[in-house]
Amino acid sequence: MNVRSQIAMTFHLDKCIGCHTCSIACKNIWTDRKGTEYMWWNNVETKPGTGYPALWEDQDKFKGGWEKSKGKLRLKSTGKGRIVANIFHNPSQPSMDDYYEPWTYDYQNLFNAPEGDDQPTAVPISMVTGEYMDIESGPNWDDDLSGTPAYARNDPNLSTLTDQQRQQLTAIEQMVFFYFPRICNHCLNPACVASCPSGALYKRGEDGIVLVDQKRCRAWRSCIAACPYKKVFYNWSTGKSEKCILCYPRIETGQAPACFHSCVGRIRYLGVLLYDADRIEEVARLSDEALIEGHRSMILDPNDEKVIAAAKENGIQESIIKAAQESPVYQFVKVWKLALPPHIEYRTLPMLFYVPPMSPVMATRKNGALKSVTDDFFHDIEESRVPLEFLGNLFGAGQTAPVLYALKKQKAVRWYRRAVTVGDVTMETAKKMLAAADCSVEEAEAIYQLTSLCTVDDRFVIPPSHREEALEAFQDPMQRKQEAGFGFISGPHRGL
Amino acid sequence: MDSSGLLFDQILFGVFPYVALFTFFFVTIQRYRVQKFTFSSLSSQFLENKTHFWGMVPFHYGLIAVLTGHTVMMLFPKLVLNWNSVPVRLYVLEATMFAFAALSFIGVIALIRRRLKHSKVRMVTSKADWVLLFFLVLQIVIGLYMALFNRWGSSWFPGAMTPYLWSLAEFSPNVSYISALPLMVKLHVINAFVLIGIFPFTRLVHVLVVPNHFLFRRHQVVRWYKNRKLIAGERDRS
Ligand code: SF4
Ligand code: SF4
């Protein structure tokens, strides 16, 4: 057992209101520079929809993530063998057209336009070339556009649905959508890191944050194609790749990342997970059906004596183990099994987990009359407007069972709370539902608590970063005093 | 040849190469130390992805093949001469090399066209890029000319150029090997050293950072800010 700690995340999709506050918070801090205008390290998509960059989930096109070939894992895009052939031109790299061309407006024209019969307009100007341009797409361009032929109907997750299910998703008055906020998943088996010819991308050992070393990045762009979530971006001005840094300067000072902190729906949770790093390869090679369970089994119980001992052996501090024990993410992912990894079939083992959203019930059953409580309490989940298969493709590697489990539990908890506070459901019914959803009363209370009444401190359990133990701390500032002076940690070498 | 011509040759072929090489090494090292961030090629595939392939791929593969040819002729002149002793083999070699050179020419023209045509790509094109492109095109054109009109390069290179280049490498430049060669050949040599001299000031530096350890490293890269064993040791002691 090789215990490592990871800052992991949960997004509770049932609470996301699609306000994009998270995206703006991130943009204002990190990507307001030249070359990054088009980047949204955090973006919020409407599902069904094509997303940003358009059709990022279409791995036939973008070749992101890993694939199994003869029992071995290899990158779908530029694996080692093909890197030489593809180094001058990366065939699966998205271009700016797949995102959008960033623009501003010629506001001066509003003031300077000569007098005329028409109102002056602020014409859009490209932020790349500075020339006038026609806007063809933008970030969140398919926002709320459920049912549209160009966007919603092209969602790659619809591929396994029947025609009837598709029609149901797009029929007027039946239309439905939910929001899907996305950031880098800070994966355990990151394809971006594995693909980098220069070794510029790396995972931080202490907290698992995945970063790009700007000095080592040589613009080979392999990571951009390799990340199946398209969460590494190319800065066209500096010629370097950039990505979500999980606001590590904030985390190291005990603050939640900006998108987490600003989230209006309070859907975001952040905490430590302990995992067994020896099992990464093995789990990433599992069959699609076994992936979710395998991924979950890598996450270790922070209260288990053996795990604690192994963690300490690996230099993980008490404070981090304590944070892992209090981690809200651990509850959602491992204990309650409510939160699921997105597209784990890409085999990067993401460390961001989503609680799948509840959706409206089919409203036209039986001449428009809704069924009330029936003996099978959960019929409406299987018949809900967002087909389970769709959610299964997103969060279950094509399996509906894990999604169904999470939705049932969510519904049971709701009905249980209805029995407690409203009283229109009998406690007996509620308890039957809880039992059917594999949930105890205590668990239901805890879920309710962490979902609805959570404070900032409940949502974000951020361990201290222990910078005092960083490598520099072990270097004696006096070591090179005679040769170079106080504080020098490398000798006064000259020339090469 | 009169003495002023000889002096001229001495400066061009006996002194200038060293100036170029010195600039190359000095500036490259300095740039790597001070401006490591800039040590890459500024890829513009992201801004224009449709014609990128048609320029980049022929240009690079063509150039790599041609440069390899030059290197082999310099390092193993006998091998090349032996190979060429059968005429058919000589023709095959020359034709192949010409094809690669032509490929790189087509590629570089496509790249220039791309840089001129697409306003987005123009935004990331610097003056140094144009200077470099000028000398590159010049070099390729002269090379193609020589292949056609100063035949057969692979036969006279080992006799004339190889000893000259070795004399340079041994720090006793012997320009007499060069003096009698046709003008175009001389131009090609001078321009080669110009390219070496401007190398560190341009995007060419990306050649030096080609990924070599990638093929051998493990998939995942993890960096620790703490020395875990050391920390555990400290804790045990206290
Ligand atoms: S989502 Fe995973 S593969 Fe993509 S950039 Fe983040 S760590 Fe890398
Ligand atoms: S701020 Fe929160 S609620 Fe608003 S879109 Fe982002 S994730 Fe959703």
Side-chain angles (χ1 to χ4, degrees):
Chain A
M1 190 156 46
N2 178 8
V3 183
R4 279 194 203 152
S5 88
Q6 164 87 33
I7 305 250
M9 305 151 273
T10 296
F11 288 2
H12 198 312
L13 290 187
D14 213 29
K15 301 208 284 171
C16 179
I17 56 174
C19 61
H20 300 276
T21 310
C22 44
S23 308
I24 299 297
C26 174
K27 170 125 288 249
N28 282 340
I29 299 186
W30 302 119
T31 58
D32 55 350
R33 296 158 289 130
K34 187 176 178 205
T36 66
E37 304 93 342
Y38 83 96
M39 293 181 198
W40 294 85
W41 294 354
N42 180 111
N43 76 300
V44 185
E45 285 166 17
T46 299
K47 281 281 162 197
T50 45
Y52 160 91
L55 291 173
W56 62 272
E57 288 156 295
D58 183 352
Q59 305 306 354
D60 291 334
K61 181 172 179 202
F62 289 122
K63 305 262 188 289
W66 302 87
E67 63 189 2
K68 277 200 305 182
S69 79
K70 299 189 206 99
K72 277 199 169 164
L73 267 193
R74 57 171 218 177
L75 289 171
K76 247 190 162 151
S77 56
T78 44
K80 291 191 179 181
R82 284 157 294 164
I83 187 77
V84 184
N86 290 340
I87 199 139
F88 305 123
H89 174 88
N90 189 328
S92 37
Q93 185 201 321
S95 75
M96 185 170 260
D97 304 334
D98 295 303
Y99 304 81
Y100 68 99
E101 185 170 348
W103 72 89
T104 177
Y105 294 95
D106 181 10
Y107 293 108
Q108 277 304 315
N109 191 44
L110 297 179
F111 300 97
N112 300 343
E115 213 173 298
D117 295 336
D118 303 316
Q119 285 274 11
T121 53
V123 186
I125 313 175
S126 163
M127 286 173 91
V128 182
T129 62
E131 293 163 4
Y132 288 130
M133 63 173 270
D134 291 323
I135 300 171
E136 270 158 23
S137 70
N140 70 314
W141 204 238
D142 55 353
D143 208 30
D144 295 356
L145 289 185
S146 189
T148 47
Y151 302 107
R153 291 182 204 187
N154 284 330
D155 188 319
N157 297 299
L158 297 173
S159 59
T160 58
L161 269 59
T162 63
D163 281 348
Q164 193 200 349
Q165 281 171 319
R166 285 171 196 238
Q167 268 158 20
Q168 166 196 324
L169 257 174
T170 52
I172 303 280
E173 292 191 353
Q174 288 280 318
M175 227 143 28
V176 68
F177 59 83
F178 61 91
Y179 298 108
F180 186 33
R182 304 201 298 121
I183 65 173
C184 163
N185 301 301
H186 298 278
C187 309
L188 294 187
N189 187 32
C192 57
V193 173
S195 74
C196 177
S198 305
L201 284 119
Y202 62 99
K203 193 168 177 68
R204 302 214 300 190
E206 286 76 13
D207 53 17
I209 296 176
V210 176
L211 297 175
V212 187
D213 182 335
Q214 293 287 299
K215 278 192 178 170
R216 280 186 79 161
C217 172
R218 310 283 185 215
W220 302 120
R221 315 170 310 286
S222 305
C223 52
I224 295 161
C227 169
Y229 304 93
K230 290 294 162 281
K231 280 297 172 190
V232 193
F233 300 87
Y234 182 71
N235 181 326
W236 55 264
S237 173
T238 61
K240 308 277 171 166
S241 293
E242 298 187 15
K243 63 179 288 301
C244 160
I245 58 175
L246 202 58
C247 288
Y248 73 83
R250 287 178 61 95
I251 289 200
E252 285 178 10
T253 48
Q255 310 167 73
C259 55
F260 285 71
H261 196 102
S262 63
C263 177
V264 174
R266 302 182 183 185
I267 79 156
R268 298 180 177 219
Y269 301 80
L270 181 127
V272 172
L273 291 181
L274 300 180
Y275 69 97
D276 185 357
D278 281 343
R279 292 191 55 210
I280 295 175
E281 281 258 357
E282 166 216 326
V283 170
R285 275 202 312 259
L286 290 173
S287 68
D288 279 2
E289 298 77 37
L291 267 174
I292 294 215
E293 214 17 77
H295 190 27
R296 215 180 255 144
S297 71
M298 278 177 82
I299 299 166
L300 302 167
D301 179 357
N303 293 307
D304 182 335
E305 286 306 325
K306 272 199 231 106
V307 172
I308 294 175
K312 284 187 179 159
E313 175 79 4
N314 257 1
I316 296 178
Q317 295 88 348
E318 297 265 359
S319 58
I320 291 182
I321 297 172
K322 185 159 169 285
Q325 289 163 348
E326 291 164 2
S327 165
V329 179
Y330 184 75
Q331 298 296 317
F332 273 118
V333 175
K334 182 101 177 179
V335 182
W336 303 333
K337 302 187 172 80
L338 277 181
L340 301 165
H343 285 301
I344 194 165
E345 71 277 14
Y346 301 158
R347 299 172 190 281
T348 62
L349 309 183
M351 277 286 127
L352 161 55
F353 300 84
Y354 290 89
V355 179
M358 311 279 275
S359 68
V361 185
M362 297 281 283
T364 48
R365 302 189 82 257
K366 296 257 165 68
N367 306 325
L370 272 178
K371 269 194 193 174
S372 58
V373 192
T374 56
D375 286 341
D376 76 47
F377 304 112
F378 303 105
H379 68 93
D380 53 346
I381 291 180
E382 268 144 292
E383 287 160 17
S384 79
R385 281 204 222 157
V386 178
L388 261 185
E389 283 79 10
F390 182 80
L391 292 176
N393 285 344
L394 251 181
F395 302 116
Q399 322 290 309
T400 52
V403 179
L404 186 61
Y405 179 91
L407 290 177
K408 272 186 174 175
K409 204 177 245 187
Q410 280 189 74
K411 185 179 177 194
V413 172
R414 280 193 191 184
W415 284 61
Y416 163 72
R417 284 305 303 176
R418 260 169 82 170
V420 173
T421 53
V422 186
D424 64 337
V425 181
T426 66
M427 191 47 96
E428 195 200 340
T429 313
K431 286 204 171 141
K432 263 194 214 154
M433 285 180 78
L434 282 180
D438 184 30
C439 186
S440 67
V441 170
E442 297 74 44
E443 191 175 323
E445 275 300 335
I447 292 174
Y448 164 65
Q449 194 74 25
L450 197 55
T451 306
S452 303
L453 304 178
C454 45
T455 64
V456 174
D457 293 335
D458 296 332
R459 279 180 282 138
F460 315 129
V461 181
I462 303 165
S465 68
H466 290 286
R467 285 308 282 197
E468 74 281 4
E469 290 193 357
L471 268 181
E472 309 94 72
F474 283 93
Q475 263 138 356
D476 182 0
M478 301 294 277
Q479 192 181 346
R480 306 251 176 218
K481 183 162 177 293
Q482 296 296 316
E483 311 150 86
F486 178 83
F488 277 75
I489 53 176
S490 57
H493 301 297
R494 299 174 61 134
L496 286 175
Chain B
M1 189 173 286
D2 58 36
S3 63
S4 74
L6 204 61
L7 183 69
F8 198 56
D9 276 357
Q10 271 292 355
I11 293 174
L12 278 183
F13 299 103
V15 180
F16 178 66
Y18 291 111
V19 175
L21 284 167
F22 177 77
T23 317
F24 171 82
F25 283 112
F26 183 75
V27 180
T28 303
I29 291 167
Q30 235 4 56
R31 180 165 168 189
Y32 193 75
R33 288 177 52 184
V34 182
Q35 288 186 312
K36 207 171 174 185
F37 186 82
T38 67
F39 242 78
S40 78
S41 158
L42 180 53
S43 165
S44 57
Q45 187 186 350
F46 177 73
L47 295 172
E48 195 289 317
N49 204 359
K50 294 203 176 75
T51 58
H52 184 264
F53 174 86
W54 301 107
M56 287 300 269
V57 173
F59 170 68
H60 277 92
Y61 283 115
L63 210 57
I64 288 174
V66 170
L67 283 177
T68 313
H70 284 66
T71 317
V72 169
M73 285 195 290
M74 179 176 164
L75 296 181
F76 313 104
K78 293 229 178 65
L79 190 80
V80 180
L81 287 177
N82 275 342
W83 171 273
N84 284 349
S85 58
V86 181
V88 179
R89 295 203 291 204
L90 166 73
Y91 301 149
V92 170
L93 178 70
E94 286 277 336
T96 317
M97 279 302 143
F98 186 83
F100 276 116
L103 210 58
S104 70
F105 179 71
I106 294 168
V108 79
I109 294 302
L111 289 177
I112 290 175
R113 190 168 163 267
R114 175 172 175 271
R115 286 207 177 262
L116 286 172
K117 195 175 149 208
H118 297 279
S119 55
K120 283 198 204 117
V121 186
R122 268 209 310 275
M123 297 312 293
V124 289
T125 308
S126 64
K127 289 207 187 73
D129 290 344
W130 289 121
V131 172
L132 172 63
L133 281 169
F134 170 79
F135 286 110
L136 261 182
V137 173
L138 187 66
Q139 190 71 344
I140 298 173
V141 169
I142 301 175
L144 287 170
Y145 173 91
M146 281 159 51
L148 289 178
F149 301 109
N150 300 328
R151 282 182 307 222
W152 301 99
S154 59
S155 287
W156 57 253
F157 188 111
M161 290 308 298
T162 306
Y164 163 66
L165 290 172
W166 277 110
S167 76
L168 275 183
E170 285 156 5
F171 293 103
S172 56
N174 186 346
V175 299
S176 60
Y177 290 114
I178 290 272
S179 295
L181 290 176
L183 180 67
M184 281 300 172
V185 180
K186 286 182 168 179
L187 261 181
H188 197 68
V189 176
I190 290 298
N191 201 40
F193 284 109
V194 168
L195 280 168
I196 290 174
I198 63 171
F199 182 102
F201 300 99
T202 65
R203 59 196 299 137
L204 274 184
V205 288
H206 77 276
V207 175
L208 298 175
V209 288
V210 288
N212 32 32
H213 59 290
F214 175 65
L215 297 175
F216 311 104
R217 79 164 160 86
R218 300 196 334 173
H219 273 317
Q220 299 304 347
V221 181
V222 177
R223 285 195 199 172
W224 297 90
Y225 287 103
K226 298 160 195 156
N227 186 328
R228 296 190 294 165
K229 291 287 171 294
L230 211 58
I231 291 166
E234 290 280 306
R235 204 177 285 128
D236 291 346
R237 243 181 286 145
S238 60

